[in-house]
Amino acid sequence: MKKICIIGAGYAGLRALEQLAKNPAFHITLIDKNPYHYMQTEAYGYIAGRFDISDIAIDLEGYANGFEENVTFVKQKALSIDPEQKTIQLSDMSLHYDYAVIAVGGMTNFFSFIKGSREFTQGVKNIERAFEFRQAFEKRIYLKLEEKKLNRKGDLHIAIAGAGLSGVEIAAEMAHMLQSYHKILSQKSMQLKISLIDAAGTILPGMDPYIIKNTEKRLRELGVEILTEAFIKEITHREILFQDETTLSFDFVIYTAGIKGALFVQELATEKNRLNQIIPDDYLRLQNYPDIYAIGDCAEIKDQNGDILPPTAQIAEKSAEYVAKNIIRIESKESIQPFHASVDGVFVALGGHYAIGVLFKVIKVKGYSAYMLKKIITRFYRLGLELKVNAGYKKRI
Ligand SMILES: Cc1cc2nc3c(=O)[nH]c(=O)nc-3n(C[C@H](O)[C@H](O)[C@H](O)COP(=O)(O)OP(=O)(O)OC[C@H]3O[C@@H](n4cnc5c(N)ncnc54)[C@H](O)[C@@H]3O)c2cc1C
């Protein structure tokens, strides 16, 4: 039986597992430092208080139990990989592999040139930070309700540094939620403000102009202040300082200005880019190590024109499917083709029952219909996970 170790149970790791587990000739060990799968694409709703923790987390033990006997889940942190010995060192044990799939994702890239970005901001790349922010934010709302003094002016100002997909979705959902809070708190004349900041000349840099234009319109309707070409120099306890010497005071800063490859990648002796992502070969294998694959956010993945694709769950899943199929083909002594990544579409959730999307570059939708399409995609994804968790639960009782 071939031993396959998948490091990381994110979008990429789980999709690879689903494909590989179908083959009874494989034993797959899924490794994650957390006991849950974090649905980051839904984090905007959790942060804003619309979704519960059960909407963004899936128990990995139960999920793995839902497969046949050829799947094992190990909740441990992977520390290093020895390609010569074909072993992975975990916190408390080491595992041998025939194939290893690295799917450790990314982490928030706190830029060293922005002083204070790590100390004074909230990231959203892990549940712990998202939970901390949500608690702190809800406490503020509660204090206001109790008519306790908030800050100097008695208002509430949230700044979001980074107007990519995650920053935009969080800004829109928070603005939408704040509108409903405002209805409760209006008597207390609370001023609620959200500023979305980016150094680029536009929000959602690199995305379809239809999405950019309509997202901007929607954000403005929700009362979000958009600051583009705004270069942050420093973040202090209560203020953002820009390079042009202007300042912006805040109660919370959510930092979504970029990601880099997870820490595990740092220790790997392989080619990496400036964002600490693995540069794999055309088959998503580590250079010189054909039995180790890199998928998802921790890998630099290019499209057919050679342009690096932004890290998304969609590309993570596509790269996982491709690698799983390759392993199956190699074991069946079949030939393999290079990976050709392409983006099918993008949907941006923009507060409440509103979204904007472009599918296959030509189908453009906005409003409730786009929201429903996005919802259906997420629902299907989640349903697959829930079915496995339920099956795993039934096996134990
Ligand atoms: C707020 C937000 C909104 C987003 N919205 C969208 C969207 O609408 N559409 C979209 O396509 N994408 C979206 N994304 C991006 C998407 O979530 C990522 O591209 C996706 O999560 C990448 O999947 P992955 O499997 O590569 O990594 P991840 O999902 O990050 O998973 C990596 C896993 O590896 C584990 N891990 C890391 N290091 C170790 C270690 N040393 N040992 C063991 N385990 C380890 C982690 O615990 C984690 O479970 C959004 C991201 C955020 C933050």
Side-chain angles (χ1 to χ4, degrees):
M1 200 174 228
K2 290 285 173 188
K3 289 187 178 145
I4 304 173
C5 289
I6 301 174
I7 312 170
Y11 291 83
L14 295 195
R15 181 51 59 93
L17 170 65
E18 277 162 26
Q19 299 296 320
L20 291 164
K22 290 176 193 162
N23 191 329
F26 298 151
H27 184 275
I28 303 121
T29 306
L30 179 69
I31 303 154
D32 204 289
K33 58 184 177 168
N34 294 318
Y36 50 77
H37 165 64
Y38 173 26
M39 286 179 62
Q40 292 174 51
T41 56
E42 301 306 286
Y44 69 92
Y46 177 72
I47 285 165
R50 188 150 77 99
F51 301 157
D52 293 324
I53 200 137
S54 59
D55 295 315
I56 58 159
I58 289 278
D59 172 50
L60 285 171
E61 186 76 52
Y63 172 75
N65 281 341
F67 288 88
E68 299 302 321
E69 302 306 311
N70 65 336
V71 173
T72 310
F73 171 62
V74 175
K75 190 214 150 285
Q76 279 197 38
K77 188 172 183 175
L79 303 175
S80 59
I81 190 161
D82 182 340
E84 308 301 336
Q85 298 299 318
K86 291 189 152 208
T87 54
I88 299 165
Q89 185 59 49
L90 309 181
S91 330
D92 290 335
M93 63 198 279
S94 84
L95 289 172
H96 172 78
Y97 64 83
D98 295 300
Y99 295 97
V101 180
I102 303 174
V104 288
M107 60 185 189
T108 306
N109 190 5
F110 293 105
F111 300 129
S112 54
F113 53 84
I114 303 181
K115 221 172 129 192
S117 61
R118 187 185 294 274
E119 294 84 346
F120 298 112
T121 69
Q122 310 277 338
V124 290
K125 282 300 284 178
N126 61 58
I127 289 189
E128 202 183 339
R129 298 298 292 267
F131 173 68
E132 279 167 11
F133 171 78
R134 182 171 161 158
Q135 274 203 323
F137 176 67
E138 281 181 351
K139 189 169 175 199
R140 289 292 173 107
I141 298 286
Y142 165 72
L143 289 174
K144 189 66 195 169
L145 198 63
E146 287 273 12
E147 296 187 313
K148 301 237 167 74
K149 208 167 159 24
L150 278 181
N151 59 12
R152 323 157 285 290
K153 292 177 194 145
D155 60 0
L156 184 62
H157 189 180
I158 299 163
I160 297 169
L165 190 55
S166 47
V168 160
E169 288 192 328
I170 292 168
E173 197 59 52
M174 293 228 62
H176 189 263
M177 287 303 283
L178 287 178
Q179 281 184 350
S180 54
Y181 280 126
H182 192 61
K183 283 179 201 147
I184 314 167
L185 299 167
S186 59
Q187 297 303 316
K188 297 175 171 99
S189 64
M190 188 187 199
Q191 296 297 306
L192 308 166
K193 190 175 160 196
I194 296 180
S195 304
L196 181 64
I197 306 159
D198 206 291
T202 168
I203 60 162
L204 299 172
M207 280 206 189
D208 189 291
Y210 172 84
I211 292 191
I212 296 176
K213 189 173 138 234
N214 287 292
T215 300
E216 252 195 60
K217 187 167 171 270
R218 168 75 174 166
L219 288 172
R220 292 197 199 282
E221 280 165 7
L222 288 168
V224 175
E225 177 186 48
I226 299 172
L227 303 170
T228 47
E229 290 184 334
F231 297 89
I232 299 174
K233 187 165 80 174
E234 188 178 346
I235 300 174
T236 65
H237 184 53
R238 280 274 177 259
E239 247 179 6
I240 293 178
L241 276 74
F242 294 98
Q243 273 181 15
D244 65 4
E245 301 303 326
T246 55
T247 59
L248 186 81
S249 64
F250 63 79
D251 294 274
F252 297 103
V253 185
I254 301 176
Y255 188 91
T256 58
I259 68 151
K260 59 181 179 180
L263 266 185
F264 179 80
V265 175
Q266 214 160 292
E267 305 305 320
L268 278 179
T270 190
E271 213 182 318
K272 286 166 248 168
N273 67 14
R274 61 182 178 84
L275 292 176
N276 191 41
Q277 286 171 307
I278 297 164
I279 304 179
D281 68 10
D282 292 346
Y283 304 89
L284 302 188
R285 304 176 299 201
L286 257 61
Q287 318 270 359
N288 302 325
Y289 296 109
D291 41 18
I292 309 179
Y293 293 84
I295 55 175
D297 283 8
C298 68
E300 178 185 282
I301 295 177
K302 292 182 177 160
D303 66 12
Q304 272 160 313
N305 303 322
D307 296 324
I308 299 174
L309 289 166
T312 60
Q314 187 185 140
I315 294 299
E317 290 183 68
K318 282 191 175 194
S319 62
E321 268 172 35
Y322 165 81
V323 158
K325 278 182 191 148
N326 270 7
I327 294 175
I328 295 165
R329 288 182 77 87
I330 291 166
E331 283 300 304
S332 323
K333 310 266 181 284
E334 290 175 53
S335 63
I336 55 169
Q337 301 299 320
F339 183 51
H340 292 303
S342 61
V343 180
D344 297 336
V346 179
F347 279 89
V348 189
L350 289 170
H353 294 169
Y354 194 101
I356 294 178
V358 172
L359 264 176
F360 308 114
K361 293 194 177 135
V362 285
I363 305 168
K364 300 178 178 183
V365 268
K366 62 177 176 172
Y368 186 70
S369 51
Y371 166 79
M372 281 313 291
L373 276 170
K374 185 172 165 75
K375 197 89 199 141
I376 289 167
I377 296 167
T378 314
R379 190 68 209 123
F380 264 104
Y381 177 76
R382 195 176 159 92
L383 193 64
L385 304 182
E386 278 173 8
L387 288 173
K388 280 278 181 279
V389 174
N390 289 343
Y393 178 72
K394 278 187 194 140
K395 267 192 202 168
R396 270 183 288 171
I397 52 171

